[in-house]
Amino acid sequence: MVQLNIIKRHQTVPVRIGSILMGGNAPIVVQSMTNTDTANVEETVQQTKELADAGSELVRITVNNEAAAAAVGAIKNQLVKDGYNVPLVGCFHYNGHRILSDFPDCAQALDKYRINPGNVGFGEKRGSQFDMMIEQAILYQKPVRIGINWGSLDQDLSARLMDENLKSHSPQPVDAILRHALVESALQNAERAIELGLPANKIVLSCKVSRVQDLVAVYQELARRSNYVLHLGLTEAGIGDKGVIATTTALAILLQQGIGDTIRASLTPRPGESRSKEVIACQEVLQSLNLRDFTPQVTACPGCGRTTSTYFQHLADSIQTFLQQQMPIWKKKYPGVEGMKVAVMGCIVNGPGESKHADIGISLPGSGESPVAPVFIDGVKKHTLRGDSIADEFKALLLSYVDNRYGT
């Protein structure tokens, strides 16, 4: 008998960020980041709401200058006033030590700090300025993500490891040393934070690279050597299909191994494209792996010579959009509806079978077939639709099914 490979989570020390719990046995958390000028309170609040509405459970904002720091408190207050309690993560580079010290309202309003040890300062100041940021996190009791990035790796550490490698009897490839440097930087800085007094249950680690195999190797080593909460993400993943596919590949490999407590898809949006696409990509990955449910899924046939009409394509798209639009209401009113399975099939070959496997499904007529569309509910044929209003009638059946099955 074929057995499923049940995913066993790598056990990490749980970290609470606002109302969100990460690590341990908590659900894997989806996060995202704004691309607005943080100093523009209205735009940042609006985009944060859009990301939260899409399902982002943490939202990171850039705090890169005094104007941005001064705006953080107003951003947080407006979000809370509008009923949004999504935790805000402050992303700091170069001047974070000064900003956190000079703007206590900002330091208090943020729910977590993201610190990249590779660019907290230069030369001898790097260590002291990292310490200053950790001390502020301790003062305000904030968790910290120590985020190492391939593109801004600590040059002193990487140079030392390169020198040691050259002197070795069996030197390793440069990329292997850089991967090692990423892991060492993350773990050493986490150890330093603990020495300063930041507890392990307030530490998240990440090591971002832009190549899938490098990311997999780095996180496998991080998981082997530590039990910190791990944030996964392929940095600078790219635009369009390339970014989605590369991100999905990397995340799926690691999540299937039980590695990862929170994820982000760092997608480059096309001009005018919604930032929330990165949230949906993460949700689709988790739902495809049966790790979490976010919205009812539509199974739809790809089409072939038996389905020369494009009607089933339009119906599948219409139903998926309809389900996504209903979810803000349904998730409050109908617990469990996010796990519902819907099928929209295009002909008699696989249509009835797939529709029976779904909670509710419709099998449209293919080329040359009788112009009828049987509807299956809980595996049993219950209705037959005909005519020009099939889409509206099927949506009505969906609404009725959801209310009858998930309504209280």
Side-chain angles (χ1 to χ4, degrees):
M1 182 179 294
V2 177
Q3 298 290 330
L4 286 175
N5 180 19
I6 304 300
I7 298 173
K8 184 177 180 181
R9 292 277 297 280
H10 170 63
Q11 287 302 295
T12 53
V13 177
V15 175
R16 182 166 293 282
I17 302 172
S19 60
I20 300 297
L21 185 66
M22 300 195 305
N25 293 314
I28 295 167
V29 172
V30 173
Q31 60 179 283
S32 59
M33 185 175 185
T34 61
N35 61 357
T36 58
D37 178 359
T38 306
N40 188 320
V41 174
E42 183 178 352
E43 288 187 2
T44 303
V45 167
Q46 181 59 36
Q47 190 173 83
T48 300
K49 289 180 180 179
E50 291 173 2
L51 292 168
D53 287 340
S56 182
E57 293 156 308
L58 296 178
V59 176
R60 183 156 53 109
I61 60 176
T62 297
V63 188
N64 58 326
N65 53 40
E66 293 183 355
V72 169
I75 292 168
K76 183 73 172 181
N77 290 338
Q78 188 62 51
L79 287 169
V80 171
K81 180 180 177 181
D82 294 343
Y84 287 79
N85 294 311
V86 58
L88 293 181
V89 181
C91 190
F92 297 97
H93 299 285
Y94 307 113
N95 58 356
H97 62 291
R98 182 173 54 79
I99 284 177
L100 287 172
S101 298
D102 293 349
F103 292 86
D105 288 347
C106 169
Q108 181 61 56
L110 292 169
D111 297 281
K112 185 177 79 166
Y113 307 155
R114 191 271 190 172
I115 304 172
N116 181 347
N119 58 24
V120 294
F122 302 98
E124 296 179 356
K125 293 182 178 181
R126 178 181 289 116
S128 63
Q129 291 177 181
F130 175 82
D131 289 358
M132 290 172 65
M133 297 183 74
I134 296 298
E135 287 163 357
Q136 291 296 309
I138 295 169
L139 174 65
Y140 291 100
Q141 301 182 28
K142 304 294 183 179
V144 170
R145 171 154 71 97
I146 298 174
I148 316 301
N149 195 295
W150 183 280
S152 52
L153 187 59
D154 183 334
Q155 294 302 304
D156 293 336
L157 173 63
S158 57
R160 177 171 60 79
L161 293 176
M162 288 291 184
D163 289 341
E164 292 175 359
N165 184 57
L166 288 173
K167 296 174 184 177
S168 170
H169 294 297
S170 55
Q172 299 295 308
V174 171
D175 282 357
I177 302 304
L178 289 175
R179 289 192 294 269
H180 178 56
L182 283 165
V183 174
E184 287 298 321
S185 180
L187 295 178
Q188 289 178 16
N189 282 284
E191 289 172 7
R192 177 57 182 162
I194 287 177
E195 288 175 4
L196 292 168
L198 189 68
N201 67 357
K202 289 192 177 296
I203 296 176
V204 179
L205 296 187
S206 68
C207 288
K208 297 290 194 72
V209 298
S210 55
R211 298 194 304 230
V212 171
Q213 296 292 2
D214 291 313
L215 192 82
V216 171
V218 165
Y219 275 91
Q220 287 173 335
E221 184 68 5
L222 269 179
R224 186 184 70 83
R225 295 180 56 184
S226 77
N227 61 352
Y228 295 110
V229 163
L230 298 180
H231 168 71
L232 304 185
L234 195 70
T235 191
E236 287 91 37
I239 193 170
D241 290 344
K242 185 269 180 187
V244 173
I245 292 170
T247 294
T248 300
T249 303
L251 295 182
I253 291 172
L254 289 165
L255 291 170
Q256 184 67 23
Q257 296 176 16
I259 298 171
D261 303 286
T262 171
I263 62 175
R264 182 195 171 203
S266 298
L267 305 178
T268 304
R270 298 184 185 281
E273 186 176 55
S274 173
R275 188 73 166 177
S276 62
K277 184 173 182 179
E278 65 178 51
V279 178
I280 296 170
C282 288
Q283 291 176 333
E284 293 286 359
V285 170
L286 294 176
Q287 192 146 354
S288 295
L289 291 170
N290 289 331
L291 290 170
R292 289 188 68 181
D293 289 323
F294 295 95
T295 187
Q297 296 292 288
V298 174
T299 299
C301 88
C304 67
R306 297 179 62 88
T307 56
T308 53
S309 167
T310 60
Y311 184 79
F312 79 95
Q313 297 169 330
H314 292 295
L315 181 60
D317 182 58
S318 174
I319 296 301
Q320 184 70 73
T321 301
F322 174 72
L323 294 172
Q324 291 171 345
Q325 291 172 341
Q326 297 303 310
M327 274 310 294
I329 300 171
W330 283 0
K331 67 183 179 183
K332 298 176 182 177
K333 189 176 180 181
Y334 300 116
V337 71
E338 61 274 6
M340 183 175 67
K341 303 296 187 292
V342 180
V344 178
M345 302 301 293
C347 79
I348 200 172
V349 173
N350 292 317
E354 285 285 1
S355 296
K356 289 177 182 177
H357 287 308
D359 295 306
I360 178 170
I362 185 170
S363 179
L364 296 168
S367 303
E369 296 176 10
S370 299
V372 296
V375 175
F376 295 81
I377 295 178
D378 295 328
V380 178
K381 181 180 174 182
K382 289 293 184 76
H383 305 276
T384 300
L385 306 184
R386 299 178 175 84
D388 299 327
S389 58
I390 287 177
D392 290 337
E393 291 179 27
F394 185 61
K395 288 177 183 177
L397 290 172
L398 267 171
L399 290 171
S400 176
Y401 179 81
V402 168
D403 191 56
N404 289 333
R405 178 172 176 180
Y406 300 100
T408 56

